[in-house]
Amino acid sequence: MTKQLILIRYGELGLKGKNRHLFVGRLAENIRASLKGLKDSQVRVSWGRLWLEIDADQQAAAIERLRRVFGIYSLSPVMETEKELSAIADAAYLALHKALPRGGSFKVETRRTDKNFPMISPEISRSIANTIFARLESERLEGYEADMHKPQVTIDIEIRSEGAFVFGETIPCAGGLPVGCSGKAAVMLSGGIDSPVAAWLAMKRGVAIEAIHFHSFPFTGERAKEKVYDLCRILALWQGRPIRLHLVYFTEIQKAIYANCAEEYGITIMRRFMYRIAERIAKSRHCLALYTGESVGQVASQTLESLAVINAVAQMPVLRPLIAMDKEEIMQKAQQLGSFQTSILPYEDCCTVFLPQYPKIRPLLSAAQKLEEALDIEALIAEALAKTEVKIISN
Ligand code: ATP
Ligand code: MG
């Protein structure tokens, strides 16, 4: 079976010293985890870059998976050839044809670290470009031009002591930092559109996640749970590892709030309970922060006044990556990560079940605290935690 080599580019040029080393090590580990099940793949760190060697017939499947590994900026399939001009030109011609099947502008760029090769880099580039043009002409292919400044495609050639390498096609990937290199956080995951995007953006910055979901069985049904499992499956694909989901039984708390507190404060108090419980779970799991899908002004509980009253119960940082985004932008991201179609399935969610008709848009902290005096907060939290189930969800 022929082997295909893929160059894996990573970014974050600001990373230095020890950080860089950890970053690359973690990235290599995550890549290996993502390729599990594919035959004979080998990830190597050499020449200051990451390379994947894989059976040629597994290449497409591997690329599909690598596009979801955070920390990778782009990929290029590489052709390895004899260190000889005509072989290099053959490969360069193929690469150009693949990258620009219907013409366009290109540039050939050479790096020569093997100083025994008898030509210098600009000479090699020029010679290869000339051969490519001669061949395009002999095959009557039109519409190609050289452009040294803003080419659509750059054909890169590297001449090393080990051999010559040619790569043309550059496949953009997800960017970000390798999941796990920034620690772990807990994401409050509803079945909606926003929180999966918040989870995805957390992972994009290298944060490994656990998910916390509040359900109000039997007011919310089995299918609402299934939907959250499906969302976790999608997120697990991006994490490259299973997701630990904490399913919190929230029914008694909702009933207690409904029975004892002024209706207009129902959502505020309910969300304060969610934060309290999420924080306890997060601490017990050594998570460093909470993430939510909140965005300023989106609903009554997301005005600055509401966020302040809700946030007041949390000691841990509560991070809200969507805080400045419009719904439209959030939906685009949901499409990109693949959660949108699942999120819009119309199952009851615990917030909609007890939704007050006129929720307080500018709640007061003192009023919320006063209303909560009617509740045995600790007992309610303890009961919900005791009935919390944990599921490990893999893709
Ligand atoms: P989403 O689309 O994420 O459901 P939303 O716009 O519907 O968000 P809210 O329902 O006010 O807004 O929820 C705000 C945030 O609170 C969510 O993004 C999520 O992080 C968290 N949250 C809401 N409901 C739940 C739930 N049932 N379980 C876990 N977290 C929740
Ligand atoms: Mg919601």
Side-chain angles (χ1 to χ4, degrees), residues 190-195 271 302 349 351-352:
S190 69
I193 294 171
D194 303 334
S195 44
R271 298 196 55 73
Q302 295 172 25
D349 142 51
C351 305
T352 48

Side-chain angles (χ1 to χ4, degrees), residues 188-196 212-215 271 274 291-294 298-299 301-302 327 349-351:
M188 293 168 63
L189 188 70
S190 69
I193 294 171
D194 303 334
S195 44
I212 301 175
H213 177 72
F214 297 88
H215 69 88
R271 298 196 55 73
M274 283 188 179
Y291 276 77
T292 79
E294 287 155 326
Q298 209 189 69
V299 289
S301 58
Q302 295 172 25
K327 196 74 187 188
D349 142 51
C350 74
C351 305

Side-chain angles (χ1 to χ4, degrees), residues 158-176:
E158 289 197 15
I159 312 233
R160 305 185 155 271
S161 51
E162 298 84 350
F165 302 88
V166 177
F167 29 95
E169 193 187 11
T170 297
I171 301 163
C173 296

Side-chain angles (χ1 to χ4, degrees), residues 297-319:
Q298 209 189 69
V299 289
S301 58
Q302 295 172 25
T303 60
L304 289 181
E305 291 87 345
S306 287
L307 288 170
V309 175
I310 295 163
N311 197 71
V313 297
Q315 260 112 56
M316 212 176 236
V318 180
L319 304 180

